[in-house]
Amino acid sequence: MRFSVPVVCALLFAQSVPALAALGAAVGPASASGTVQQADSARAKASARVSSYNGYTVSETVKPSGTTVREYISPANIVFAVSWQGPDMPNLQELLGTYADQYVSAASAPHAGRRAVAIQSDQLVLHSGGHMRSFAGSAYVPSLLPQGVTPSDIR
């Protein structure tokens, strides 16, 4: 049975653990809508680790399924990049935030025999691909990269 790319994207968006903050957004306290409270509950089921590097922080969450999601946070407390790898896709709608529409548009475009999605623009660089039980990808906002951080630092 084969599904179209938009159907797969919609299914993948609906099943995953919420992120700490979306790409390009500030990491901060809970919103009035309770979204962060739901995220906290879901996150409690996953293991998390925070590491500091040269001027930025990486928040790594491993979901119960085994998928690892990393959020790269600048000194200004902004998520400038995200990456994922594992047996299922993270919730890209929440991970990508306002950039999710670009991903959906690129994923919906006709692809000749390939399932990978790539976006390379001044606003967003994204690579996503894989197959059942093995997905990987990353996205970053070039204008938000802290000084001294290169795209190769995002893994």
Side-chain angles (χ1 to χ4, degrees), residues 78-142:
I78 302 292
V79 177
F80 64 89
V82 293
S83 68
W84 58 92
Q85 182 172 10
D88 67 356
M89 287 284 282
N91 184 333
L92 293 184
Q93 184 74 43
E94 289 186 14
L95 268 183
L96 299 176
T98 58
Y99 299 96
D101 290 343
Q102 292 180 47
Y103 172 77
V104 171
S105 178
S108 300
H111 295 94
R114 56 173 233 218
R115 301 264 179 199
V117 176
I119 300 171
Q120 182 84 35
S121 73
D122 293 342
Q123 293 85 35
L124 177 68
V125 176
L126 179 144
H127 300 280
S128 178
H131 54 81
M132 294 303 287
R133 294 185 208 104
S134 181
F135 295 97
S138 64
Y140 66 92
V141 179

Side-chain angles (χ1 to χ4, degrees), residues 24-113:
V27 177
S31 67
S33 68
T35 302
V36 173
Q37 291 169 338
Q38 291 174 352
D40 289 344
S41 175
R43 188 169 289 118
K45 297 176 184 172
S47 63
R49 182 176 69 181
V50 176
S51 303
S52 293
Y53 297 94
N54 293 332
Y56 66 98
T57 302
V58 178
S59 175
E60 179 179 291
T61 303
V62 180
K63 296 173 30 180
S65 68
T67 296
T68 300
V69 175
R70 292 183 185 91
E71 296 170 309
Y72 295 78
I73 304 164
S74 74
N77 216 26
I78 302 292
V79 177
F80 64 89
V82 293
S83 68
W84 58 92
Q85 182 172 10
D88 67 356
M89 287 284 282
N91 184 333
L92 293 184
Q93 184 74 43
E94 289 186 14
L95 268 183
L96 299 176
T98 58
Y99 299 96
D101 290 343
Q102 292 180 47
Y103 172 77
V104 171
S105 178
S108 300
H111 295 94

